[in-house]
Amino acid sequence: MASHPDHDQGGSRASTVLRVTSGNFLEMFDFFAFGFYATYIAKAFFPSESDVAALMLTFMTFGAGFLMRPLGAVLLGAYVDRVGRRKGLIVTLSIMAAGTILIALVPDYASIGLVAPVLVLIGRLLQGFSAGVELGGVSVYLAELAPPGRQGFYVAWQSGSQQVAIMAAAAIGYALNRLLMPAEMGAWGWRIPFLIGCLLVPFLFYIRRSLQETSAFRARKVHPPVGAVLRTLARNWRIVWLGMLMVAMTTIAFYAITVYTPTFGKNVLRLSDTDSLIVTFCVAVSNLFWLPVMGALSDRIGRRPILLLFSGLTLVTAYPALAWLVAHPSFETMLAVLLWLSFLYGGYNGAMVVALTEIVPPEVRTAGFSLAYSLATALFGGMTPLIATWLIAETGNKAAPGLWLALGGACGLLATLIIYRRRASDLPAPVTSAPLASAPVTPART
């Protein structure tokens, strides 16, 4: 019987989880830094007579990276399903690191003109291409690593690592705001978090290279070529589409309460940078608590009831919560509202990510998961800062982003009802860490 990756080299499951989620940490650390320092980045690379226009251009660049995710999901996802989880995770980290280094070191517009925003855009595209399969690769690895009946708890740490990254980035931002003057932050201080991300790259490569291949992947006798993976994805387009709708809820909520929160607090509610950072830090702590708790609960009572409950609550409470915040803008109100939204996000996502690994056919698990997740992020979540900014500008309603959050809840609710309406026997086999049968698996059909 093939050994578990956590037993190889005498390592523990906990250390393996840490190593495999390291790339998620780097990705979200940089994404959060980009969102929080969007106003500084706008002035450095997108000079404009209108601050709103410059900010919109910055968020368009931020969102452009998400448009690359589906391409990365298909190409890199098929590669991972062909060559293995470990090799794929090393490749995605390499591409992500290249984008991070580029953004950190590009001179501003005043120094090199139009070349500056073009290079920043290239950096975001590289990050997006890599991230297209990073989440899927990590989630599938954790699902195949987990002991039977504990997949929800283990896979939740994929999202958990992102919350640690947000906490780290928020703490660094808080320290910079205390140590540097506003002019220094605008001139060069905003680059410090990105440079810290660059310094982490060698360490992340070191710990990720020590990963072992999962026993579930090694036990499979047939590893389809890229063309076969793509054909299987095409045959299972309904699962990918429904998975995309399911992910829409979590990705809209996540980017709203983390990446967009600092901008919302500063530019819309006129709260201080410090207040916005403290709220974001508390949100990340809350997320980190609820994700594994709800993942473990879904192992006990099933994915469906949790997905229905939290998507439904998001649909009916997101806009009223933001309307209350806008009517009473204060640090205390913002903290209360964002912690509520964090509870909704953490509850839903704790069950959603593992559910997505279970509904995708095993032989295209990484590519199918990644494509569904990437499409949702590109069309919904990654555009959340841009859409929220546009909604407020067009409607004059500062609570309008709550409507976008409610739409995410509706998507998650609809997808859950359709997916779990079918009998359990109609769904693909759950992810298992035990060796699989030697015969090739017939692609699941919807």
Side-chain angles (χ1 to χ4, degrees):
M1 182 175 177
S3 61
H4 254 285
D6 49 296
H7 296 305
D8 294 333
Q9 310 296 330
S12 66
R13 279 196 174 97
S15 67
T16 302
V17 170
L18 173 64
R19 284 178 284 159
V20 75
T21 57
S22 60
N24 276 168
F25 176 92
L26 177 63
E27 176 200 1
M28 188 43 56
F29 182 88
D30 288 336
F31 278 21
F32 175 79
F34 199 103
F36 180 73
Y37 296 108
T39 53
Y40 297 119
I41 294 173
K43 293 178 181 178
F45 298 111
F46 303 96
S48 172
E49 295 180 358
S50 168
D51 289 341
V52 173
L55 189 60
M56 292 280 283
L57 286 171
T58 303
F59 281 138
M60 287 175 68
T61 301
F62 180 77
F66 294 98
L67 297 179
M68 288 292 289
R69 285 194 175 205
L71 183 61
V74 171
L75 298 181
L76 292 178
Y79 172 79
V80 173
D81 282 325
R82 172 66 176 169
V83 305
R85 318 308 187 199
R86 176 186 176 276
K87 290 181 180 179
L89 289 174
I90 293 173
V91 169
T92 59
L93 180 59
S94 302
I95 300 173
M96 186 186 305
T100 297
I101 293 170
L102 188 58
I103 293 174
L105 301 181
V106 171
D108 60 19
Y109 183 91
S111 301
I112 60 175
L114 288 174
V115 176
V118 170
L119 290 177
V120 170
L121 177 61
I122 292 173
R124 284 291 300 126
L125 294 178
L126 287 173
Q127 287 183 327
F129 184 72
S130 167
V133 78
E134 173 72 18
L135 291 175
V138 169
S139 299
V140 170
Y141 192 103
L142 292 175
E144 293 180 350
L145 161 75
R150 300 197 66 193
Q151 281 87 357
F153 175 76
Y154 271 70
V155 175
W157 290 105
Q158 175 262 102
S159 299
S161 67
Q162 297 177 339
Q163 313 314 314
V164 176
I166 293 170
M167 292 162 60
I172 291 171
Y174 178 84
L176 290 175
N177 284 338
R178 298 296 298 268
L179 296 174
L180 300 179
M181 300 295 292
E184 294 173 319
M185 284 297 302
W188 52 268
W190 64 268
R191 292 184 184 270
I192 292 177
F194 294 98
L195 293 173
I196 292 174
C198 294
L199 295 176
L200 290 174
V201 168
F203 171 70
L204 297 181
F205 267 113
Y206 173 76
I207 63 175
R208 184 165 274 193
R209 282 177 60 86
S210 65
L211 288 172
Q212 302 297 314
E213 189 53 79
T214 67
S215 59
F217 183 86
R218 289 197 304 262
R220 283 172 47 198
K221 303 302 182 183
V222 177
H223 301 292
V226 172
V229 171
L230 298 181
R231 287 191 294 272
T232 304
L233 278 178
R235 288 195 296 269
N236 288 274
W237 66 268
R238 291 182 181 85
I239 283 290
V240 173
W241 179 76
L242 289 171
M244 178 195 73
L245 288 180
M246 192 162 63
V247 178
M249 153 68 190
T250 194
T251 190
I252 288 175
F254 177 73
Y255 285 99
I257 66 177
T258 56
V259 174
Y260 181 64
T261 289
T263 300
F264 186 75
K266 289 186 298 181
N267 293 359
V268 179
L269 301 181
R270 302 301 178 186
L271 300 179
S272 69
D273 285 356
T274 299
D275 284 348
S276 297
L277 279 168
I278 292 174
V279 169
T280 306
F281 184 89
C282 292
V283 165
V285 173
S286 173
N287 292 345
L288 185 60
F289 173 79
W290 289 117
L291 285 164
V293 167
M294 293 301 174
L297 182 61
S298 75
D299 287 332
R300 296 181 64 88
I301 68 173
R303 322 298 183 204
R304 182 177 183 272
I306 293 178
L307 295 175
L308 290 176
L309 173 64
F310 286 99
S311 58
L313 284 174
T314 302
L315 174 61
V316 298
T317 68
Y319 180 79
L322 278 187
W324 179 57
L325 171 58
V326 168
H328 305 86
S330 68
F331 169 79
E332 293 78 14
T333 308
M334 186 177 182
L335 180 61
V337 169
L338 267 295
L339 287 180
W340 169 250
L341 296 178
S342 164
F343 172 62
L344 299 181
Y345 158 77
Y348 181 85
N349 198 57
M352 189 282 300
V353 178
V354 67
L356 188 56
T357 68
E358 293 169 344
I359 67 173
V360 177
E363 70 276 23
V364 292
R365 185 162 280 148
T366 301
F369 180 108
S370 299
L371 182 57
Y373 210 108
S374 297
L375 287 171
T377 308
L379 299 176
F380 297 96
M383 295 298 174
T384 291
L386 175 63
I387 290 173
T389 303
W390 177 82
L391 283 173
I392 294 172
E394 287 296 310
T395 65
N397 180 2
K398 295 180 180 179
L403 299 174
W404 185 238
L405 280 166
L407 175 64
C411 290
L413 184 63
L414 175 64
T416 302
L417 289 172
I418 295 174
I419 289 171
Y420 290 96
R421 179 185 61 188
R422 304 163 63 206
R423 296 171 302 167
S425 59
D426 293 332
L427 296 172
V431 180
T432 176
S433 56
L436 304 177
S438 58
V441 182
T442 302
R445 299 182 184 272
T446 57

Short mmCIF file of all heavy atoms in Angstrom, two decimals, residues 146-156 291-306 350-351 354-355 358 431:
data_model
loop_
_atom_site.label_atom_id
_atom_site.label_comp_id
_atom_site.label_asym_id
_atom_site.label_seq_id
_atom_site.Cartn_x
_atom_site.Cartn_y
_atom_site.Cartn_z
N ALA A 146 -6.01 14.09 3.37
CA ALA A 146 -6.80 13.99 4.59
C ALA A 146 -7.21 12.56 4.92
O ALA A 146 -7.45 11.75 4.02
CB ALA A 146 -8.05 14.86 4.46
N PRO A 147 -7.30 12.23 6.21
CA PRO A 147 -7.84 10.94 6.62
C PRO A 147 -9.32 10.86 6.21
O PRO A 147 -9.98 11.88 6.06
CB PRO A 147 -7.70 10.95 8.15
CG PRO A 147 -6.76 12.05 8.46
CD PRO A 147 -6.91 13.06 7.37
N PRO A 148 -9.85 9.65 6.03
CA PRO A 148 -11.26 9.50 5.65
C PRO A 148 -12.19 10.21 6.63
O PRO A 148 -12.02 10.13 7.84
CB PRO A 148 -11.47 7.98 5.68
CG PRO A 148 -10.10 7.41 5.43
CD PRO A 148 -9.15 8.35 6.11
N GLY A 149 -13.15 10.93 6.09
CA GLY A 149 -14.13 11.62 6.91
C GLY A 149 -13.67 12.94 7.47
O GLY A 149 -14.41 13.58 8.23
N ARG A 150 -12.47 13.41 7.11
CA ARG A 150 -11.99 14.69 7.63
C ARG A 150 -11.54 15.63 6.51
O ARG A 150 -10.80 16.58 6.75
CB ARG A 150 -10.83 14.45 8.60
CG ARG A 150 -11.19 13.60 9.81
CD ARG A 150 -10.15 13.74 10.90
NE ARG A 150 -10.13 15.08 11.46
CZ ARG A 150 -9.15 15.53 12.25
NH1 ARG A 150 -8.12 14.77 12.54
NH2 ARG A 150 -9.18 16.76 12.72
N GLN A 151 -12.02 15.37 5.29
CA GLN A 151 -11.62 16.20 4.16
C GLN A 151 -12.04 17.66 4.34
O GLN A 151 -11.30 18.58 3.97
CB GLN A 151 -12.23 15.66 2.86
CG GLN A 151 -11.49 14.47 2.28
CD GLN A 151 -11.98 13.15 2.85
OE1 GLN A 151 -12.84 13.13 3.72
NE2 GLN A 151 -11.44 12.05 2.35
N GLY A 152 -13.23 17.90 4.89
CA GLY A 152 -13.69 19.26 5.07
C GLY A 152 -12.76 20.07 5.96
O GLY A 152 -12.42 21.22 5.65
N PHE A 153 -12.34 19.48 7.07
CA PHE A 153 -11.44 20.18 7.99
C PHE A 153 -10.10 20.46 7.33
O PHE A 153 -9.56 21.57 7.44
CB PHE A 153 -11.25 19.33 9.25
CG PHE A 153 -10.25 19.90 10.22
CD1 PHE A 153 -10.58 20.99 11.01
CD2 PHE A 153 -8.98 19.36 10.34
CE1 PHE A 153 -9.66 21.53 11.90
CE2 PHE A 153 -8.05 19.88 11.23
CZ PHE A 153 -8.40 20.97 12.02
N TYR A 154 -9.54 19.48 6.63
CA TYR A 154 -8.22 19.66 6.02
C TYR A 154 -8.25 20.67 4.88
O TYR A 154 -7.38 21.56 4.79
CB TYR A 154 -7.68 18.32 5.52
CG TYR A 154 -6.89 17.57 6.57
CD1 TYR A 154 -7.54 17.01 7.67
CD2 TYR A 154 -5.52 17.43 6.48
CE1 TYR A 154 -6.83 16.33 8.65
CE2 TYR A 154 -4.80 16.75 7.45
CZ TYR A 154 -5.46 16.20 8.53
OH TYR A 154 -4.75 15.54 9.51
N VAL A 155 -9.22 20.56 4.00
CA VAL A 155 -9.28 21.45 2.84
C VAL A 155 -9.53 22.89 3.28
O VAL A 155 -9.11 23.84 2.60
CB VAL A 155 -10.35 20.97 1.85
CG1 VAL A 155 -10.50 21.96 0.69
CG2 VAL A 155 -9.97 19.60 1.29
N ALA A 156 -10.19 23.08 4.42
CA ALA A 156 -10.45 24.44 4.90
C ALA A 156 -9.18 25.24 5.13
O ALA A 156 -9.18 26.47 5.08
CB ALA A 156 -11.27 24.39 6.20
N LEU A 291 -13.54 29.03 9.24
CA LEU A 291 -13.29 28.13 8.11
C LEU A 291 -13.08 26.68 8.54
O LEU A 291 -13.81 25.79 8.09
CB LEU A 291 -12.09 28.64 7.30
CG LEU A 291 -12.37 29.85 6.41
CD1 LEU A 291 -11.06 30.50 5.96
CD2 LEU A 291 -13.21 29.45 5.21
N PRO A 292 -12.11 26.38 9.43
CA PRO A 292 -11.96 24.98 9.83
C PRO A 292 -13.11 24.46 10.68
O PRO A 292 -13.44 23.27 10.61
CB PRO A 292 -10.64 24.99 10.62
CG PRO A 292 -10.46 26.39 11.08
CD PRO A 292 -11.06 27.24 10.01
N VAL A 293 -13.74 25.34 11.45
CA VAL A 293 -14.89 24.90 12.26
C VAL A 293 -16.02 24.43 11.36
O VAL A 293 -16.59 23.34 11.56
CB VAL A 293 -15.37 26.05 13.18
CG1 VAL A 293 -16.74 25.71 13.78
CG2 VAL A 293 -14.36 26.30 14.29
N MET A 294 -16.34 25.21 10.35
CA MET A 294 -17.43 24.83 9.45
C MET A 294 -17.02 23.70 8.52
O MET A 294 -17.86 22.89 8.11
CB MET A 294 -17.90 26.05 8.66
CG MET A 294 -18.57 27.09 9.52
SD MET A 294 -20.02 26.40 10.40
CE MET A 294 -20.47 27.79 11.44
N GLY A 295 -15.74 23.63 8.16
CA GLY A 295 -15.27 22.50 7.38
C GLY A 295 -15.45 21.20 8.15
O GLY A 295 -15.92 20.19 7.60
N ALA A 296 -15.08 21.23 9.44
CA ALA A 296 -15.24 20.04 10.28
C ALA A 296 -16.72 19.71 10.48
O ALA A 296 -17.11 18.54 10.49
CB ALA A 296 -14.56 20.26 11.62
N LEU A 297 -17.55 20.76 10.65
CA LEU A 297 -18.98 20.51 10.83
C LEU A 297 -19.59 19.87 9.58
O LEU A 297 -20.45 18.99 9.67
CB LEU A 297 -19.70 21.82 11.15
CG LEU A 297 -21.20 21.73 11.42
CD1 LEU A 297 -21.48 20.85 12.64
CD2 LEU A 297 -21.80 23.12 11.64
N SER A 298 -19.10 20.31 8.41
CA SER A 298 -19.62 19.72 7.17
C SER A 298 -19.22 18.25 7.03
O SER A 298 -19.91 17.48 6.35
CB SER A 298 -19.13 20.51 5.96
OG SER A 298 -17.76 20.25 5.67
N ASP A 299 -18.12 17.86 7.67
CA ASP A 299 -17.75 16.44 7.69
C ASP A 299 -18.76 15.62 8.48
O ASP A 299 -18.97 14.44 8.21
CB ASP A 299 -16.36 16.26 8.32
CG ASP A 299 -15.24 16.72 7.41
OD1 ASP A 299 -15.41 16.69 6.18
OD2 ASP A 299 -14.18 17.13 7.94
N ARG A 300 -19.40 16.26 9.47
CA ARG A 300 -20.32 15.55 10.35
C ARG A 300 -21.76 15.57 9.84
O ARG A 300 -22.46 14.55 9.90
CB ARG A 300 -20.27 16.15 11.76
CG ARG A 300 -18.92 15.99 12.45
CD ARG A 300 -18.95 16.59 13.84
NE ARG A 300 -19.89 15.90 14.70
CZ ARG A 300 -19.61 14.83 15.43
NH1 ARG A 300 -18.38 14.31 15.38
NH2 ARG A 300 -20.52 14.27 16.20
N ILE A 301 -22.22 16.71 9.33
CA ILE A 301 -23.64 16.82 8.96
C ILE A 301 -23.86 16.93 7.46
O ILE A 301 -25.01 16.95 7.00
CB ILE A 301 -24.32 18.02 9.67
CG1 ILE A 301 -23.78 19.35 9.12
CG2 ILE A 301 -24.13 17.94 11.17
CD1 ILE A 301 -24.52 20.56 9.65
N GLY A 302 -22.78 17.01 6.69
CA GLY A 302 -22.92 17.11 5.24
C GLY A 302 -22.69 18.52 4.74
O GLY A 302 -22.81 19.50 5.50
N ARG A 303 -22.38 18.64 3.46
CA ARG A 303 -22.10 19.96 2.87
C ARG A 303 -23.39 20.75 2.63
O ARG A 303 -23.43 21.97 2.81
CB ARG A 303 -21.34 19.81 1.54
CG ARG A 303 -20.30 18.71 1.48
CD ARG A 303 -19.16 18.86 2.46
NE ARG A 303 -18.18 17.78 2.25
CZ ARG A 303 -17.34 17.35 3.16
NH1 ARG A 303 -17.34 17.88 4.37
NH2 ARG A 303 -16.48 16.38 2.89
N ARG A 304 -24.42 20.08 2.16
CA ARG A 304 -25.62 20.74 1.66
C ARG A 304 -26.28 21.68 2.67
O ARG A 304 -26.57 22.85 2.34
CB ARG A 304 -26.64 19.71 1.17
CG ARG A 304 -27.91 20.30 0.58
CD ARG A 304 -28.81 19.18 0.06
NE ARG A 304 -30.01 19.70 -0.59
CZ ARG A 304 -31.14 19.98 0.05
NH1 ARG A 304 -31.20 19.78 1.37
NH2 ARG A 304 -32.18 20.45 -0.61
N PRO A 305 -26.57 21.26 3.91
CA PRO A 305 -27.27 22.17 4.82
C PRO A 305 -26.47 23.43 5.14
O PRO A 305 -27.05 24.51 5.27
CB PRO A 305 -27.50 21.32 6.08
CG PRO A 305 -26.56 20.16 5.96
CD PRO A 305 -26.38 19.91 4.50
N ILE A 306 -25.15 23.30 5.24
CA ILE A 306 -24.33 24.48 5.52
C ILE A 306 -24.32 25.43 4.34
O ILE A 306 -24.45 26.66 4.50
CB ILE A 306 -22.89 24.04 5.89
CG1 ILE A 306 -22.91 23.28 7.22
CG2 ILE A 306 -21.96 25.25 5.99
CD1 ILE A 306 -21.58 22.76 7.66
N GLY A 350 -16.16 27.19 4.29
CA GLY A 350 -15.65 26.02 4.98
C GLY A 350 -16.20 24.73 4.41
O GLY A 350 -15.52 23.70 4.39
N ALA A 351 -17.44 24.78 3.88
CA ALA A 351 -18.04 23.60 3.26
C ALA A 351 -17.90 23.61 1.75
O ALA A 351 -17.86 22.55 1.11
CB ALA A 351 -19.52 23.51 3.63
N VAL A 354 -14.35 22.06 -0.14
CA VAL A 354 -14.26 20.60 -0.16
C VAL A 354 -15.39 20.01 -1.02
O VAL A 354 -15.20 19.00 -1.70
CB VAL A 354 -14.29 20.02 1.26
CG1 VAL A 354 -15.62 20.24 1.95
CG2 VAL A 354 -13.92 18.53 1.24
N ALA A 355 -16.55 20.66 -1.02
CA ALA A 355 -17.66 20.18 -1.86
C ALA A 355 -17.27 20.22 -3.33
O ALA A 355 -17.60 19.33 -4.11
CB ALA A 355 -18.91 21.02 -1.61
N GLU A 358 -15.28 17.38 -4.46
CA GLU A 358 -16.04 16.13 -4.49
C GLU A 358 -16.95 16.00 -5.71
O GLU A 358 -17.30 14.87 -6.10
CB GLU A 358 -16.87 16.01 -3.21
CG GLU A 358 -16.02 15.82 -1.96
CD GLU A 358 -16.81 15.96 -0.67
OE1 GLU A 358 -17.94 16.50 -0.71
OE2 GLU A 358 -16.29 15.55 0.38
N VAL A 431 -13.60 12.43 -2.65
CA VAL A 431 -12.15 12.34 -2.63
C VAL A 431 -11.72 11.40 -1.53
O VAL A 431 -12.26 11.43 -0.42
CB VAL A 431 -11.54 13.74 -2.38
CG1 VAL A 431 -10.04 13.66 -2.36
CG2 VAL A 431 -12.01 14.71 -3.44
#
